[in-house]
Amino acid sequence: MKILLIGALPSSLYNFRGQLLRRLKKIGLEVTSLASGAKEEEITTIESLGSKYIDVAIHRNGLSPTQDIKTFFSLRSIFKQQQPNVILAYTIKPIIWGGLAARFVPNCRFYALVTGLGFAFQKGSWKKNLLMKLVAFLYQSALKNAEKVIFQNPDNRQVFIDQGIVPEHKTCVVNGSGVDVAHFEIKPLTSEPKFLLIARLLGDKGIREYIAAADKVKQKYPNAYFQLVGPEDPSPDGVSLSELERLNVNQSVDYVGATTDVRPYIENCNIFVLPSYHEGLPRTVLEAMATGRPILTTDVPGCRETVVNGYNGFLVEKANAEQLAKKMIWFIEHQDEWQGMASASRTMVEDKFDVHKVNKALMRIMELDPVETAPINVMDKEAK
């Protein structure tokens, strides 16, 4: 049996799907991964996981009809040549153009993994609302022949159902991308008020609110430390380095750029923060939970799945820097609560978000599990 796995970024194949690639290869499938613009070392890493690699031009951001049509025809050509039995696509462009191209492959099961709704589904100006309608139409067309559409939280699933993009009986929910708990050891907390945000420089990640909240907190607690880790992003919602410098004029936040290994930064913090506007299910939060860290995030789809208020952290209103700052101050003034929340975070990851449990659920949905191949219902019992 031959399976194709399609993502936009090569790094996501080994960072987010590495364990899945290993598992698919282990059970005897012929695995080929597709993404755009891979470097030689990235191809080597992907192939070391047991997958072949094919590069395809996918423009992750923006709507360029010319580029997107090229992506569609490239995928259709690759599919015809490869003749896969199963295709799993994730993120918006691979799902849309992969789903449309998969219609031309006989006897092939197409699965879509929706890892978040992203910028296109955020209401706002008439232009954003028009974009949302266009993207919804493209999704609907691409998913018409999909076997299953897999979501990482129930809120995103309900949006697709309510908008008529996909019928309910085709939908499933899994607990995010999962995290390799063995890769993230529990590390002891220290007594310093150290906060950390790891995210791409996007407005929707709450970058602006994080800096504004840090400014407020440092007025009362000047020794509080705030760190920001993450790369620039060319998205329309991107926060440029020049804007970041203007926002951070008080230098309340220490921006250190991008990293290929988040563990040292998580281990150096005591409270992990993600003021995001929306997520599929945030991987960085899961990594911080696996390290044993209290979580401060927003009460929005995806994020709310990671926190039980007062148990392993807190949820605050999105785009509310004042509320975010108040909870940061609470953490500073209640250090005796940190350890209990840290332990609760690790327990939640082990119980719900272990990557091996998530991958097992995915393989059951795709009827690839060699032990248990029966398809599951609307929501897998492990995702409840």
Side-chain angles (χ1 to χ4, degrees):
M1 180 177 284
K2 182 181 290 187
I3 180 169
L4 299 187
L5 184 63
I6 316 171
L9 294 174
S11 59
S12 73
L13 289 169
Y14 51 84
N15 285 331
F16 295 163
R17 313 289 162 220
Q19 291 293 346
L20 179 61
L21 291 175
R22 284 194 179 99
R23 180 61 180 159
L24 293 170
K25 180 65 176 179
K26 186 175 181 180
I27 65 172
L29 277 74
E30 183 180 337
V31 187
T32 301
S33 299
L34 282 68
S36 182
K39 300 174 184 176
E40 284 299 323
E41 57 268 27
E42 291 179 315
I43 295 173
T44 300
T45 300
I46 293 166
E47 290 178 343
S48 73
L49 297 170
S51 172
K52 298 176 184 177
Y53 179 78
I54 299 175
D55 207 78
V56 59
I58 301 173
H59 289 257
R60 190 168 61 92
N61 297 302
L63 286 173
S64 168
T66 302
Q67 297 295 342
D68 288 340
I69 289 172
K70 285 182 180 179
T71 298
F72 164 75
F73 281 109
S74 294
L75 288 172
R76 191 178 74 164
S77 175
I78 292 169
F79 293 172
K80 283 187 173 183
Q81 181 182 25
Q82 295 291 317
Q83 291 295 307
N85 305 101
V86 175
I87 297 171
L88 173 62
Y90 63 95
T91 67
I92 180 169
K93 292 290 186 79
I95 289 175
I96 288 175
W97 305 117
L100 291 172
R103 292 188 183 188
F104 295 87
V105 186
N107 304 315
C108 177
R109 305 198 308 270
F110 179 77
Y111 296 90
L113 175 60
V114 180
T115 56
L117 300 190
F119 181 75
F121 276 84
Q122 305 309 304
K123 294 181 180 179
S125 65
W126 68 268
K127 288 184 178 180
K128 288 187 72 174
N129 293 337
L130 182 62
L131 174 63
M132 183 169 65
K133 290 181 179 180
L134 174 59
V135 172
F137 170 75
L138 290 172
Y139 262 130
Q140 184 181 44
S141 302
L143 299 175
K144 184 176 182 180
N145 294 338
E147 293 288 321
K148 290 288 183 182
V149 183
I150 309 159
F151 297 87
Q152 296 192 330
N153 68 68
D155 295 279
N156 288 176
R157 168 183 171 268
Q158 198 60 47
V159 168
F160 270 51
I161 294 170
D162 291 345
Q163 293 195 16
I165 296 172
V166 65
E168 183 175 354
H169 72 270
K170 280 191 175 185
T171 64
C172 298
V173 177
V174 296
N175 285 324
S177 300
V179 63
D180 186 353
V181 294
H183 188 64
F184 291 86
E185 300 178 11
I186 301 174
K187 295 294 182 178
L189 298 168
T190 62
S191 59
E192 296 88 358
K194 292 183 176 181
F195 297 84
L196 170 67
L197 165 59
I198 300 175
R200 287 174 289 133
L201 298 187
L202 293 168
D204 283 5
K205 294 293 183 181
I207 303 294
R208 299 179 181 96
E209 289 79 11
Y210 182 68
I211 295 172
D215 284 342
K216 293 177 184 294
V217 173
K218 287 184 77 70
Q219 290 175 12
K220 186 173 183 179
Y221 293 101
N223 65 325
Y225 177 69
F226 298 88
Q227 193 171 59
L228 171 62
V229 178
E232 288 186 272
D233 194 287
S235 166
D237 190 44
V239 176
S240 66
L241 291 180
S242 58
E243 182 187 356
L244 185 67
E245 187 175 349
R246 291 195 302 273
L247 292 169
N248 196 32
V249 64
N250 296 325
Q251 297 187 328
S252 297
V253 174
D254 178 19
Y255 175 60
V256 298
T259 183
T260 57
D261 188 357
V262 299
R263 290 175 296 179
Y265 298 96
I266 296 174
E267 292 166 9
N268 187 51
C269 85
N270 288 308
I271 310 298
F272 188 83
V273 186
L274 180 63
S276 183
Y277 292 15
H278 53 85
E279 294 285 335
L281 208 148
R283 175 69 172 271
T284 56
V285 171
L286 299 185
E287 292 168 342
M289 291 169 67
T291 310
R293 294 297 181 265
I295 304 299
L296 177 55
T297 187
T298 41
D299 189 11
V300 298
C303 292
R304 66 170 64 106
E305 274 66 45
T306 66
V307 168
V308 176
N309 249 330
Y311 176 63
N312 73 312
F314 291 104
L315 299 171
V316 297
E317 184 180 46
K318 77 172 184 180
N320 191 327
E322 187 73 33
Q323 200 175 110
L324 187 66
K326 285 182 178 179
K327 282 303 180 185
M328 288 173 170
I329 290 172
W330 184 94
F331 274 111
I332 293 173
E333 296 177 348
H334 294 81
Q335 186 182 338
D336 57 322
E337 301 283 346
W338 293 1
Q339 188 55 58
M341 291 183 170
S343 299
S345 283
R346 176 71 182 197
T347 298
M348 286 179 65
V349 163
E350 292 175 345
D351 289 346
K352 293 181 61 178
F353 302 112
D354 186 312
V355 68
H356 300 292
K357 293 181 179 180
V358 172
N359 287 342
K360 182 177 180 181
L362 279 173
M363 292 177 67
R364 288 180 59 200
I365 291 167
M366 295 187 291
E367 302 182 42
L368 298 175
D369 193 314
V371 177
E372 187 176 2
T373 57
I376 64 174
N377 293 322
V378 170
M379 183 180 289
D380 183 80
K381 61 185 180 181
E382 292 176 356
K384 289 185 179 179

